[in-house]
Amino acid sequence: MDRYLRPERFDIDPSDSSSTRAWIHWRKTFENFIFVQKPAAPETDAQSFRPPEKWDSIKFQLLVNHISPNIYTYISEATNYEEAITILQKLYVKPKNLIFARHMLATRKQRPEESIDTYLQALKLLSKDCDFVAVDAETNKNDSVRDAFISGISSHKIRQRLLENLTLTLDQAYNQALSLETAEINSQNFNTVSLNAIAPKEPKFSAQRDLLFC
């Protein structure tokens, strides 16, 4: 059974675009592998039973043996399994930007080559990053208005700034957008005033000098 469950050595660079997906899958296969390695309870097999602290040490050894030297450098200073796995989890699974994820879901259109079934599956895949939870009607309404508000804003700069937030309420989105819009307008007005101030003026000639050219 072990040879069927044994995962391949993990060697995906954290900067790779598919690293998060690869890590989540590999970790699951590795956990399946160490599950079957876990010793039996004392009452069933006292001789093979290992104390919890020894089992943790074995898990750590198994982890080290199933990652590449490049990946090991990230956990080289870890002293136990939980510490090492936490380091790798934070390295490969970044905090989700819920605002951007919901924007991507709300604005995803069916592509010319996509069938209805493929398009629906793509939407379901995007929804996994949206972290939907059970909420009351008021919260659901505000979230929907917020998503429509961000998607419909005409200023690309303001939308981009709003999408940089990991989380954002409707009121926060409104206040930030209003502040950015005001700053943008003030900047434009300042530039206009500055240009007018430095614009060259038409020279004025005295009446006496004008008579010389008559």
Side-chain angles (χ1 to χ4, degrees), residues 149-168:
F149 176 71
I150 294 175
S151 299
I153 284 179
S154 59
S155 172
H156 296 295
K157 291 182 179 180
I158 294 178
R159 184 186 305 110
Q160 181 178 351
R161 291 293 300 276
L162 293 178
L163 292 175
E164 291 173 357
N165 296 279
L166 295 181
T167 59
L168 197 67

Side-chain angles (χ1 to χ4, degrees), residues 97-103 106 130-132 138-153 159 162-163 165-174 177:
N97 186 327
L98 302 183
I99 303 304
F100 181 73
R102 295 196 179 190
H103 175 71
C130 295
D131 196 26
F132 289 113
E138 184 67 18
T139 301
N140 187 43
K141 181 190 72 174
N142 288 337
D143 286 350
S144 297
V145 173
R146 177 204 59 200
D147 295 343
F149 176 71
I150 294 175
S151 299
I153 284 179
R159 184 186 305 110
L162 293 178
L163 292 175
N165 296 279
L166 295 181
T167 59
L168 197 67
T169 65
L170 174 59
D171 288 341
Q172 290 171 337
Y174 166 74

Side-chain angles (χ1 to χ4, degrees), residues 71-100:
I71 306 304
Y72 174 72
T73 57
Y74 297 114
I75 63 167
S76 59
E77 297 183 1
T79 57
N80 56 66
Y81 174 80
E82 291 300 329
E83 183 182 354
I85 209 72
T86 299
I87 292 173
L88 293 175
Q89 181 72 11
K90 290 181 178 179
L91 182 65
Y92 284 96
V93 182
K94 303 297 188 294
K96 294 180 180 179
N97 186 327
L98 302 183
I99 303 304
F100 181 73

